[in-house]
Amino acid sequence: MLETSARLLRLLSLLQTPRDWSGTELAVRLGVSSRTVRRDVERLRDLGYVVHATAGAPGYRLGAGAGLPPLLLDDEEAVAVAIGLGTAAVSGVTGIEETSVRALAKLEQVLPARLRNRVGDLRSVTVPLTDRASAVDPATLTAIAAAVRARESLRFDYRSHDGTEDRRAAEPYRLVNSGRRWYLVAWDTGRGDWRTFRIDRLRLRTPNGPRFTPREPPGTDLVQYVAERISVNPYRYRGRFTVHAPADVIAARMPPTIAVVEPTGDDTCVLSTGSNSLDELAMWVAGLGVPFEVHDPPELVRHIHALAARLSEATRYGPRPPAVSKDQAESPS
């Protein structure tokens, strides 16, 4: 006869099968009396599981409760859930990526070695049809998430945006997701300052470093902090503009990886972005198709004047647009 704890786990596993179980069937499966089955069902209810008793002949089935109690997964189910969470973590589905990483980190911590190997084997032979430049290994995300939770420092090789590579050590604080790209906000122990690292540019080293005491975060708005460091700070020129359009309209066209958009009124906002080219800065903001004013950098104002003169000069030699008659101009489109 199974001990009580083992018997409860076996009973729970049976009830998770989507069917009704009679008390007699359960008693036979567990090698106990129907009375013991009834007592075990009550124990499961006390633990938070909703077990319904079907009408008519005595029977039981597992129902949904107000909260999620612990689940029992067999080997195949555990592998399927791990693969599904790993896929969701890099799927680009808004709002699900970070949750998937947290759930996957918890699952992988309790997976037996044989199952972790199966999950790793499947990942190694799967090629995602996504942007290769921003592809992120879910195993890297879960390893970082686990280090954040355990307050363990990380050691990794990192390739900066200019292509230089070096070895870094950092105290991880948070993962931040933007579309298909992931960023790590961490205290860089070698540089003594907060840094933002693109996950697809780092390669973790094992084992992790020593445990640490968390520091005060680099800002109250972590999303704003990361956006400034990936879209403005790394570049030679840092542009700041007043744009005469609602902030939500501009933000829809300029995601956080490209610019920081701050509302200043119902129909105006401040846009900050960076580039190593003044031409690129000018074309980015002009391409929005709305009025704007340049605040920084000062040399961009002179550059736009020169660019406007070149564009105006170029039109002198092109074909003239057809003349529009008075009737055409006044007729509705």
Side-chain angles (χ1 to χ4, degrees), residues 86-295:
T87 301
V90 292
S91 66
V93 179
T94 303
I96 199 175
E97 302 97 333
E98 294 185 53
T99 306
S100 300
V101 169
R102 292 198 302 271
L104 184 56
K106 292 178 182 178
L107 180 60
E108 290 198 337
Q109 279 192 317
V110 298
L111 281 179
R114 67 179 188 280
L115 298 186
R116 283 199 302 271
N117 291 337
R118 288 178 59 184
V119 172
D121 289 344
L122 184 53
R123 284 178 182 161
S124 68
V125 299
T126 302
V127 180
L129 190 61
T130 59
D131 179 9
R132 288 180 179 270
S134 59
V136 175
D137 184 357
T140 301
L141 293 176
T142 56
I144 293 174
V148 171
R149 189 169 57 253
R151 298 177 180 177
E152 293 179 346
S153 56
L154 293 172
R155 303 180 306 117
F156 53 90
D157 298 318
Y158 190 70
R159 175 173 51 84
S160 302
H161 70 279
D162 61 1
T164 60
E165 296 190 17
D166 60 356
R167 188 169 300 178
R168 313 292 275 269
E171 300 171 357
Y173 176 66
R174 288 291 186 274
L175 284 167
V176 177
N177 172 250
S178 176
R180 291 189 180 276
R181 284 188 176 172
W182 287 83
Y183 299 89
L184 169 65
V185 178
W187 176 266
D188 190 319
T189 56
R191 289 158 175 76
D193 198 4
W194 289 97
R195 290 289 190 271
T196 301
F197 302 98
R198 260 179 58 174
I199 302 300
D200 60 307
R201 290 177 177 168
L202 65 79
R203 185 173 66 256
L204 292 175
R205 288 180 168 268
T206 56
N208 290 344
R211 291 174 61 86
F212 62 90
T213 300
R215 303 171 186 269
E216 285 295 319
T220 55
D221 188 341
L222 199 61
V223 173
Q224 178 88 356
Y225 172 84
V226 173
E228 290 177 354
R229 274 144 189 79
I230 63 179
S231 64
V232 182
N233 290 6
Y235 299 98
R236 178 182 178 185
Y237 301 109
R238 302 176 183 182
R240 191 169 67 90
F241 312 87
T242 290
V243 179
H244 294 268
D248 57 346
V249 173
I250 300 303
R253 301 182 60 183
M254 304 284 275
T257 53
I258 295 177
V260 177
V261 180
E262 303 171 83
T264 54
D266 292 340
D267 296 311
T268 60
C269 59
V270 170
L271 183 147
S272 301
T273 187
S275 176
N276 292 325
S277 164
L278 290 174
D279 278 330
E280 187 176 55
L281 271 182
M283 298 308 295
W284 264 114
V285 70
L288 293 174
V290 296
F292 65 92
E293 300 155 18
V294 180
H295 301 299

Side-chain angles (χ1 to χ4, degrees), residues 1-71:
M1 181 183 299
L2 295 173
E3 295 295 334
T4 302
S5 57
R7 190 175 65 245
L8 284 177
L9 290 174
R10 176 60 177 157
L11 173 59
L12 180 58
S13 179
L14 292 171
L15 290 175
Q16 285 179 344
T17 304
R19 53 161 291 187
D20 290 341
W21 290 89
S22 71
T24 302
E25 287 180 299
L26 292 174
V28 171
R29 291 292 191 103
L30 299 173
V32 296
S33 67
S34 296
R35 182 180 178 183
T36 300
V37 169
R38 290 194 294 271
R39 288 202 303 265
D40 287 349
V41 167
E42 287 304 319
R43 290 190 179 99
L44 289 180
R45 287 170 175 161
D46 291 340
L47 292 172
Y49 294 93
V50 178
V51 182
H52 297 297
T54 57
Y60 303 96
R61 57 185 170 84
L62 196 64
L68 180 65
L71 298 176

